[in-house]
Amino acid sequence: MTSYDDLPDSDLTERLRLGDSAAFAEVYERFFVVLYKHALNRLRDEEQAKDIVQELFEDLWSKKASLFIQSNLSNYLYTAIRNKVLKVIAHQNVVSAYAAKQVAFLKPDEGLTDHRVRERQLAAIIEKEVQSLPPKMKAVFELSRKHNYTHKEIAEQMDITEQSVRSHIKNALKILKIKFRLVYYMLMIFW
C-alpha cells in the first residue's frame, strides 16, 4: 500500500488528475495551512481566507481531469490562491467605491462634482493598494513616488543597492498594475 505522505508533489498531481481521492486528501493536508496563512495575511479576515482556500480546493477537485500544471504543484496552488485573493480585493474595492459614490450622491449639499468624488475614491483605492505592498517594497515605492527621491538617494537612505531599488519599484508597479486592471474592469461594470 502506498503511503501518500511520502509521494512527491508530481506523483500526487498525476494521481489527483486520475481521480484518486486519497491523493487529493494529501494535497489538501500539505497545502491548506500555508495557503490559508497567505490568504489571511492579505485579506485580514479569517472566514474569507478559509472560504477562498476551500473554493480553491473545490475547483481543484472538480477540474482534476483537465488539470495541467506546467510548474510544480506548490507554485500552481500559490498562484491560484493569489489570483483568488486579488479578485476578492478588487471586489471589495468596487463595493467600497460604490458605497462611497452612493453616500456622495445622497449628500448633494457637499457641492462636489461627480468627477471630484471619483477622484477621491480613486485616490483612496490607490493608497489602500500601496499600503498592501510588502513593507520594504512599499517604503521604496513611497520614497520614489511620494517624496520624489532618486534611486541613489533611496539606496543610501535604506542601505540597499540601486539595483534593489529599481527591482522594488518595478515589482511594485507590476503588482499595482495587475490590481488596478482588475479594479478598472470592475468599476466600468458598476459606473
Side-chain angles (χ1 to χ4, degrees), residues 6 10 21 37 39 56-57 65 73-74 81 104-105 108 116 122 135 147 152 156 161 170 189:
D6 293 333
S10 57
S21 60
K37 286 181 180 178
L56 170 65
F57 281 106
L73 181 60
S74 62
I81 203 67
F105 179 75
R116 294 196 64 186
L122 184 58
H147 303 289
K152 185 176 182 177
E156 289 172 1
T161 66
K170 179 182 172 187
I189 291 170

Side-chain angles (χ1 to χ4, degrees), residues 73-84:
L73 181 60
S74 62
N75 285 349
Y76 175 85
L77 293 172
Y78 176 79
T79 300
I81 203 67
R82 184 192 66 203
N83 291 340
K84 287 188 177 293

Side-chain angles (χ1 to χ4, degrees), residues 42-53:
R42 301 292 292 177
L43 297 172
R44 308 271 191 250
D45 182 322
E46 291 179 5
E47 290 305 312
Q48 202 170 40
K50 283 180 191 173
D51 287 347
I52 67 167
V53 174

Side-chain angles (χ1 to χ4, degrees), residues 126-175:
I126 291 170
E127 184 59 30
K128 182 179 178 186
E129 295 305 332
V130 168
Q131 294 305 313
S132 73
L133 291 171
K136 195 167 198 172
M137 185 184 295
K138 179 180 88 170
V140 169
F141 186 81
E142 287 181 333
L143 288 173
S144 171
R145 296 306 194 257
K146 289 184 180 178
H147 303 289
N148 297 318
Y149 283 22
T150 65
H151 290 180
K152 185 176 182 177
E153 291 170 331
I154 297 169
E156 289 172 1
Q157 182 172 341
M158 296 188 69
D159 197 29
I160 57 177
T161 66
E162 286 186 55
Q163 181 58 40
S164 292
V165 171
R166 278 191 281 285
S167 293
H168 281 301
I169 292 172
K170 179 182 172 187
N171 291 336
L173 290 171
K174 185 187 293 184
I175 290 168

Side-chain angles (χ1 to χ4, degrees), residues 57-130:
F57 281 106
E58 288 172 14
D59 291 347
L60 187 66
W61 182 251
S62 67
K63 297 175 183 174
K64 65 187 174 294
S66 62
L67 192 63
F68 178 71
I69 300 176
Q70 291 179 322
S71 62
N72 61 40
L73 181 60
S74 62
N75 285 349
Y76 175 85
L77 293 172
Y78 176 79
T79 300
I81 203 67
R82 184 192 66 203
N83 291 340
K84 287 188 177 293
V85 166
L86 289 176
K87 285 181 184 176
V88 167
I89 290 171
H91 178 72
Q92 289 171 342
N93 290 339
V94 169
V95 169
S96 296
Y98 181 75
K101 183 178 180 183
Q102 293 304 313
V103 168
F105 179 75
L106 296 174
K107 295 181 180 179
D109 57 320
E110 289 182 13
L112 293 177
T113 64
D114 188 42
H115 174 74
R116 294 196 64 186
V117 170
R118 287 184 191 183
E119 183 177 80
R120 286 184 180 176
Q121 291 170 344
L122 184 58
I125 291 169
I126 291 170
E127 184 59 30
K128 182 179 178 186
E129 295 305 332
V130 168

